[in-house]
Each structure stands twice: as structure tokens, then as C-alpha cells.
Amino acid sequence: MHTAMQELLRAVTAVKRAVGRIPKTGRNEFHRYDYATESDVLGVLRPAMVEAGLHLLPSVEQVWVEPIHDTKAGAKQYRARVRLKVILAHDSGVIWPEPFFWEGMGVDGEDKMVAKAITSAQKYGLLKFYMVETG
């Protein structure tokens, strides 16, 4: 394996070593469950990634929007699904040879559905990429 690629993999491993479980500080009262917020995830992972010299560079590759239902008050609800293309890079200039693709969904009746979908894709993509537990 090329030495530069080994450096990139060592950096990914360093992040995995530095990050333990991320606590669930968010609460969905309607459905009665706790969750790790995007802020929780970024607050733990970002400093470890910076220390390791790693960069995940996302871009929105595709967006799908569809009407799903009306609320009881008659407001329209829409579901957005996004597909992010994510490039893994290291401070040394090494770039992982293939992009990663992360998907997320968001539901909203106004203008936030795409932003919610992007947040979901990034949050769960990061959790799964680094194999981080929440709880």
C-alpha cells in the first residue's frame, strides 16, 4: 500500500480512537425518544478530525422532493431526500480514490425539508463512517 494512503488510514484510525460514545442530548417528545443531535456529533468528531488532519468534503449530488400528506390543520407536508457525494482528504494532500455517498431525508411544510435532509445525511454518514455509538 502506498505510504501516503497509509497515512490517511492512520488518521481515520486516530479519529476512531479519540471518539467514544456520543451521548443522546436531543429529545423528541412527540415520539418519546432521545437522539444524538447534529451538534452533539460535530462537537465530538470535528475536533478529532482536525487533530488528525482529516477533511470530509460533502456536496449535494441529487435532491428529490415529493408531497406526502396534509397535516390535520390542512398544511401541505413534503419529504425531501438528498444524496451527498463526500470526498475524504488528508492535510498531506492524499484523497481517498472513491467518493462516499450518504443519503438523508427530511419532512417539512415550508422551506426546511432539504436542509433537514442534508443534516440527516451528514450526521448519520459521520456516525457510520467512524462507527460511533450513541447512547
Side-chain angles (χ1 to χ4, degrees), residues 38 80 82 84 102-107 113-128:
E38 180 197 31
V82 299
L84 301 182
W102 297 345
E103 292 193 10
M105 285 196 294
V107 174
M113 71 198 121
V114 173
K116 289 177 179 182
I118 291 169
T119 297
S120 173
Q122 289 184 150
K123 179 178 103 170
Y124 288 104
L126 284 165
L127 288 171
K128 299 311 173 192

Side-chain angles (χ1 to χ4, degrees), residues 59-68 77-85 101-108 110-118 121:
S59 61
V60 176
E61 182 180 74
Q62 205 163 3
V63 176
W64 300 269
V65 176
E66 64 180 338
I68 52 172
Q77 290 287 293
Y78 298 89
R79 177 177 25 239
R81 187 166 60 107
V82 299
R83 184 174 194 203
L84 301 182
K85 178 180 176 181
F101 294 95
W102 297 345
E103 292 193 10
M105 285 196 294
V107 174
D108 198 276
E110 297 182 15
D111 63 342
K112 302 288 188 274
M113 71 198 121
V114 173
K116 289 177 179 182
I118 291 169

Side-chain angles (χ1 to χ4, degrees), residues 5 8 11 14 20 30 43 59 65 69 74 76 85-86 95 97 109 119 121 123 125 135:
M5 192 61 75
L8 183 122
F30 183 79
S59 61
V65 176
H69 59 75
K76 298 280 184 206
K85 178 180 176 181
V86 183
I95 297 174
T119 297
K123 179 178 103 170

Side-chain angles (χ1 to χ4, degrees), residues 4-116:
M5 192 61 75
Q6 289 173 325
E7 184 176 2
L8 183 122
L9 289 173
R10 279 193 293 273
V12 170
T13 300
V15 173
K16 288 181 178 182
R17 281 192 186 117
V19 175
R21 181 177 296 219
I22 297 175
K24 295 179 178 182
T25 65
R27 175 78 180 157
N28 182 316
E29 291 296 341
F30 183 79
H31 292 292
R32 297 186 180 129
Y33 68 87
D34 298 326
Y35 61 95
T37 67
E38 180 197 31
S39 181
D40 295 334
V41 173
L42 291 178
V44 172
L45 281 171
R46 187 178 177 281
M49 289 175 61
V50 169
E51 179 69 26
L54 284 176
H55 308 274
L56 285 165
L57 310 169
S59 61
V60 176
E61 182 180 74
Q62 205 163 3
V63 176
W64 300 269
V65 176
E66 64 180 338
I68 52 172
H69 59 75
D70 292 351
T71 64
K72 289 180 183 177
K76 298 280 184 206
Q77 290 287 293
Y78 298 89
R79 177 177 25 239
R81 187 166 60 107
V82 299
R83 184 174 194 203
L84 301 182
K85 178 180 176 181
V86 183
I87 305 297
L88 174 64
H90 188 262
D91 280 349
S92 66
V94 177
I95 297 174
W96 192 258
E98 296 292 328
F100 301 97
F101 294 95
W102 297 345
E103 292 193 10
M105 285 196 294
V107 174
D108 198 276
E110 297 182 15
D111 63 342
K112 302 288 188 274
M113 71 198 121
V114 173
K116 289 177 179 182

